[in-house]
Amino acid sequence: MNSKEKKEARVERYKALAAGATAKSSAAYQQASKMLGVIPPGQPVHGLADRRYRERISGHMDKSVKLADTAEYFEGKAEAAEKNNAIYLGDDDCVERLQERLDELVKLQDNMKAANKIVKSQKLSNEQIRQQLSELGFSDKQINEVLTPSFTGKIGFASCTLTNNNRRISDTKKRLEQAKKMKATENKEYYVGEVRFVENSRENHLQLFFPEIPDKALRQQMSNNGFRWCSSNGCWQSYLKRYNVRFAKELLAPKEADTANVPA
């Protein structure tokens, strides 16, 4: 499953959870309305049975409100997932996307430097400056912003803007090199007790395959330390970090067994 398919699956999962919560919220509301409909308006409470009946109505209404909030939460998650264009090292196309981002940042840096030379030129008219900035790919809005003096009276891109973009270029280069190295690294597979460990460098995940469902206490320990169940891979996994590998080995190492086959 590539990054696009993972993103689409995540969005669909959140939308399905939102739809399910909405349906349950509606059912709870309808049940409360149906029960309330048999009580004449203004009728006081008559006895314990009537009080408990009304408490059940209130319970259905509370449930409906909570489920509506849950549906709204998952709708927000789905919307955020659709807008998320972050590049993760585990994405199958992360090298290509990081290279594209690097190229865009380098081009932007060159264009901003060129723009600063243009706006500071004494030989160009305002119309010529605008024409040359437009040829560099800047929009009318961006051109107006560049030509508007700052609080110090200067025009063009501020030095801090160039510095910040240069820092993003440097960070992207580092991530790109890391991604290339990871994609070129073969996966490591070994056993700790009966649990199969896979150090999946290409997806940037440590994957734990259990022969059977681990007990609740073990699942909680893993969850508290960054591991999540991945249904698509059928394993518990976390990011491939040295401390995650060490934690998992210490947690799952047999108490009295030969662990000679476990890498240090």
Side-chain angles (χ1 to χ4, degrees):
M1 183 181 293
N2 59 37
S3 59
K4 182 179 179 180
E5 291 170 339
K6 289 179 181 178
K7 178 179 178 178
E8 291 174 349
R10 189 180 303 113
V11 171
E12 289 304 315
R13 183 170 68 253
Y14 287 141
K15 286 183 176 180
L17 289 169
T22 299
K24 291 178 181 178
S25 174
S26 178
Y29 175 79
Q30 291 174 6
Q31 179 65 22
S33 299
K34 181 179 179 182
M35 294 174 68
L36 186 61
V38 303
I39 302 176
Q43 176 176 298
V45 178
H46 290 285
L48 181 60
D50 189 18
R51 184 181 301 279
R52 288 179 176 173
Y53 183 81
R54 295 177 189 238
E55 289 175 351
R56 287 170 57 200
I57 294 175
S58 179
H60 284 301
M61 288 300 295
D62 289 343
K63 181 179 180 180
S64 176
V65 171
K66 289 180 180 178
L67 285 167
D69 289 342
T70 300
E72 185 177 354
Y73 168 78
F74 282 118
E75 286 170 357
K77 295 280 283 185
E79 183 178 354
E82 283 184 310
K83 295 180 179 178
N84 184 12
N85 293 316
I87 303 174
Y88 300 98
L89 292 178
D91 293 343
D92 61 309
D93 58 350
C94 69
V95 173
E96 293 79 7
R97 293 173 65 196
L98 283 170
Q99 185 63 59
E100 289 176 4
R101 176 172 292 182
L102 177 60
D103 293 341
E104 290 171 358
L105 291 171
V106 170
K107 181 179 179 181
L108 175 60
Q109 188 78 355
D110 292 340
N111 285 348
M112 288 193 295
K113 289 180 179 179
N116 280 353
K117 290 182 179 179
I118 292 170
V119 300
K120 294 175 183 178
S121 173
Q122 303 294 324
K123 300 179 180 180
L124 300 175
S125 66
N126 185 65
E127 184 179 345
Q128 290 174 320
I129 289 175
R130 287 182 172 274
Q131 177 63 31
Q132 292 192 24
L133 290 177
S134 178
E135 290 174 356
L136 286 175
F138 293 107
S139 65
D140 290 339
K141 180 181 178 181
Q142 291 173 318
I143 292 173
N144 289 333
E145 291 175 351
V146 169
L147 295 178
T148 300
S150 66
F151 70 94
T152 61
K154 295 181 179 181
I155 60 175
F157 290 96
S159 59
C160 62
T161 302
L162 291 165
T163 300
N164 290 338
N165 191 64
N166 201 42
R167 186 177 294 112
R168 286 194 290 270
I169 290 174
S170 178
D171 292 341
T172 303
K173 284 181 178 179
K174 290 177 182 178
R175 291 195 70 205
L176 178 58
E177 290 304 313
Q178 184 181 3
K180 288 179 177 180
K181 183 178 179 181
M182 288 174 58
K183 297 303 179 184
T185 302
E186 294 295 327
N187 294 344
K188 290 173 61 178
E189 183 174 332
Y190 52 88
Y191 280 82
V192 174
E194 297 182 346
V195 181
R196 181 163 63 94
F197 278 50
V198 177
E199 294 185 16
N200 194 331
S201 299
R202 295 177 182 177
E203 294 188 8
N204 194 31
H205 282 135
L206 170 63
Q207 300 171 324
L208 308 180
F209 294 85
F210 289 82
E212 57 187 20
I213 299 176
D215 60 50
K216 183 177 180 180
L218 183 55
R219 296 199 305 271
Q220 189 63 52
Q221 281 185 287
M222 290 190 293
S223 181
N224 290 344
N225 287 273
F227 285 81
R228 296 292 182 268
W229 169 252
C230 178
S231 57
S232 59
N233 291 329
C235 65
W236 284 81
Q237 65 182 29
S238 70
Y239 286 114
L240 185 55
K241 304 291 185 182
R242 188 179 300 277
Y243 53 81
N244 284 337
V245 175
R246 183 171 62 250
F247 164 78
K249 288 179 180 179
E250 292 175 353
L251 178 66
L252 300 172
K255 301 302 179 182
E256 295 180 1
D258 181 13
T259 57
N261 65 324
V262 180

